Amino acid sequence: MEKLNYLAFAMPAFFLFVYMEYKLAQHRKKAHLFKYDSSISNVSIGIAERLINLFVSASFYQVYYWVYDNYRLFTVSCNWVVWLALILATDFVWYWYHRLGHEVNIFWAAHIVHHQSEEFNLTASARITTIQALIRTVFWCILPFMGFHPTMVITMLLVHGAYSFFTHTQVLNRVKWLEYVFITPSLHGVHHASDEKYLDKNYGDMFVFWDKMFGTFQVEEEQPKYGLTHSLKSYSFLWMHFHYYFEIYESYRRANTFKGKWSAVFGSPAVMDQDIRPELEKKFLQDRRLRLKELKFKNYLTLQIGLSVAMLSWFTFFYNTQTIADKLFYLSFIMITLINCGALLEQRKWIYYLEYFRLAILFSYLLYLEGHAELLLLPVFALIAAEKIFALSKWYQGYVLQTK
């Protein structure tokens, strides 16, 4: 039993709260707060982060122990005063990590994914990447360095993360007096807004102290417009994760001076050349202006997300008992499924071949489990034969492609 990972229940709990939020939104005539394609995109990114973190999160925690065992300045005891100090310190570190994530290009490249969604609900809280988690780990190393025990730090980070999850919603009534102390959904909604008066405000995750102290506090006045100041014209899973790194590279390549190249990497996103992204979008054919009135493959897309969640939950629960082959299968199959979901929304013609690849991985894994490793290439030949005989590509593309 000690080998079971009970974090597996986090994903079902997430969807339970999302469902409750959606039903409450419907009850309050606010169902428009959810958009199917955007929500699918949000959830896909969250699934990927949870999946990859299974492989690396243990390393994150080991870093805390390494810093604590070798470099701590003090040995902090465990009592209620220390816990209070730790929660304030955690949020203070978060404030500066978060603020630098908006003010430094290389950090913004990891954090921008969280702000791409033009809807603001609980699904938007899932838009976290493993790269962002890695950067946060570096910042939070200051806590064990100061002498807080890693067990306390990890516990507080879980509490901190749980609190921030519930600030991504518009269905809770605003309680203004809470905003004297805590970051509320209204205040965090301001942070996610692209309106000029709301830009670069409310970096705190739990408390408003730091924003008020450093001049970045802003209450909600007009209804915010959520998302980036320049919308991302894509639902591509890969493009959402890596587009800003391409923009940094392109800005660095164009710069002719050391100062310009330094600014491309460590400068402010506010001074990034705004012509770069449209040029890259045109080059890589990323264009979300395509709007499908009705997704005739919606059930198929929902099924894929549901399958990914079920597989991730099962994989997480039994992660410590899995073999290398099991881990490689779950990692590759789920990641390909998520890429496929983005490609479906993008109406990419190559998704059919991605489907073939996914099926080949599945059947090869099943043969491996049955002890027939020598037959691993058989599924590939079988799928090629099925295509030649039944012309499956015409049926599949006729079902999922709604544009010519």
Side-chain angles (χ1 to χ4, degrees), residues 265-276:
V265 180
F266 299 105
S268 170
V271 298
M272 176 72 78
D273 186 348
Q274 299 302 314
D275 292 330
I276 291 179

Side-chain angles (χ1 to χ4, degrees), residues 133-149:
L134 174 61
I135 295 172
R136 285 193 311 211
T137 299
V138 174
F139 276 84
W140 272 323
C141 277
I142 194 173
L143 298 175
F145 176 72
M146 294 299 296
F148 292 104
H149 193 277

Side-chain angles (χ1 to χ4, degrees), residues 171-191:
V171 299
L172 298 180
N173 293 327
R174 184 179 177 187
V175 183
K176 293 185 178 181
W177 62 266
L178 279 176
E179 296 176 2
Y180 289 106
V181 179
F182 296 105
I183 293 292
T184 63
S186 172
L187 293 180
H188 196 61
V190 166
H191 175 72

Side-chain angles (χ1 to χ4, degrees), residues 99-125:
R99 181 167 177 171
L100 290 173
H102 282 256
E103 295 180 350
V104 179
N105 276 327
I106 195 64
F107 294 150
W108 178 236
H111 187 58
I112 192 174
V113 180
H114 187 63
H115 285 267
Q116 290 164 351
S117 177
E118 294 175 8
E119 62 178 359
F120 186 68
N121 54 47
L122 292 180
T123 69
S125 69

Side-chain angles (χ1 to χ4, degrees), residues 26-70:
Q26 282 186 318
H27 177 72
R28 295 183 174 177
K29 311 299 182 184
K30 294 182 177 181
H32 63 277
L33 299 180
F34 288 80
K35 300 178 178 63
Y36 179 82
D37 46 4
S38 183
S39 293
I40 287 291
S41 176
N42 295 344
V43 171
S44 296
I45 292 173
I47 293 173
E49 188 264 346
R50 288 290 87 205
L51 174 64
I52 298 175
N53 274 10
L54 282 174
F55 295 86
V56 298
S57 59
S59 299
F60 293 169
Y61 299 152
Q62 288 172 3
V63 171
Y64 296 146
Y65 280 97
W66 176 74
V67 171
Y68 180 82
D69 291 337
N70 295 282

Side-chain angles (χ1 to χ4, degrees), residues 196-404:
E196 185 174 354
K197 68 183 298 182
Y198 292 152
L199 291 178
D200 301 324
K201 302 296 183 182
N202 300 351
Y203 292 115
D205 208 40
M206 292 186 70
F207 303 110
V208 301
F209 310 140
W210 325 120
D211 287 294
K212 290 184 176 181
M213 187 180 300
F214 299 110
T216 55
F217 181 73
Q218 173 65 51
V219 298
E220 179 183 342
E221 296 173 354
E222 296 83 22
Q223 172 66 30
K225 178 183 178 182
Y226 302 107
L228 303 176
T229 53
H230 299 277
S231 299
L232 196 66
K233 297 185 176 68
S234 177
Y235 284 125
S236 166
F237 179 82
L238 294 175
W239 187 250
M240 287 188 295
H241 278 79
F242 300 112
H243 74 92
Y244 204 77
Y245 293 102
F246 280 95
E247 292 177 46
I248 290 175
Y249 170 77
E250 183 65 18
S251 179
Y252 182 90
R253 188 185 65 82
R254 294 182 183 185
N256 296 319
T257 65
F258 175 81
K259 182 179 180 181
K261 292 183 181 297
W262 175 272
S263 180
V265 180
F266 299 105
S268 170
V271 298
M272 176 72 78
D273 186 348
Q274 299 302 314
D275 292 330
I276 291 179
R277 187 184 301 168
E279 293 175 12
L280 291 176
E281 287 173 338
K282 184 177 180 180
K283 179 179 179 180
F284 292 103
L285 302 178
Q286 307 295 333
D287 192 345
R288 203 177 64 189
R289 286 173 297 186
L290 166 65
R291 295 291 184 182
L292 305 176
K293 293 182 179 180
E294 182 179 357
L295 298 176
K296 61 183 180 182
F297 53 82
K298 182 183 290 188
N299 290 337
Y300 178 60
L301 187 55
T302 303
L303 176 64
Q304 294 198 65
I305 291 295
L307 176 64
S308 297
V309 172
M311 291 182 66
L312 176 59
S313 298
W314 175 272
F315 180 49
T316 302
F317 194 58
F318 294 104
Y319 179 79
N320 295 322
T321 65
Q322 302 291 321
T323 66
I324 294 297
D326 295 329
K327 292 177 180 178
L328 288 176
F329 165 71
Y330 280 98
L331 176 63
S332 58
F333 189 88
I334 294 175
M335 290 299 293
I336 290 172
T337 299
L338 298 177
I339 293 172
N340 188 62
C341 289
L344 280 168
L345 291 172
E346 294 275 304
Q347 292 286 276
R348 301 300 183 189
K349 294 182 179 180
W350 48 260
I351 56 178
Y352 176 68
Y353 303 102
L354 197 63
E355 290 279 24
Y356 261 153
F357 186 48
R358 184 170 57 165
L359 288 174
I361 290 176
L362 173 61
F363 290 133
S364 297
Y365 176 68
L366 293 176
L367 286 171
Y368 170 81
L369 291 181
E370 293 299 319
H372 299 296
E374 72 279 2
L375 301 177
L376 292 183
L377 291 179
L378 182 60
V380 177
F381 295 124
L383 290 170
I384 293 175
E387 169 60 26
K388 294 294 184 181
I389 297 172
F390 301 107
L392 297 178
S393 60
K394 292 183 179 179
W395 175 85
Y396 181 83
Q397 294 191 20
Y399 175 66
V400 301
L401 297 181
Q402 298 177 223
T403 60
K404 296 182 179 179

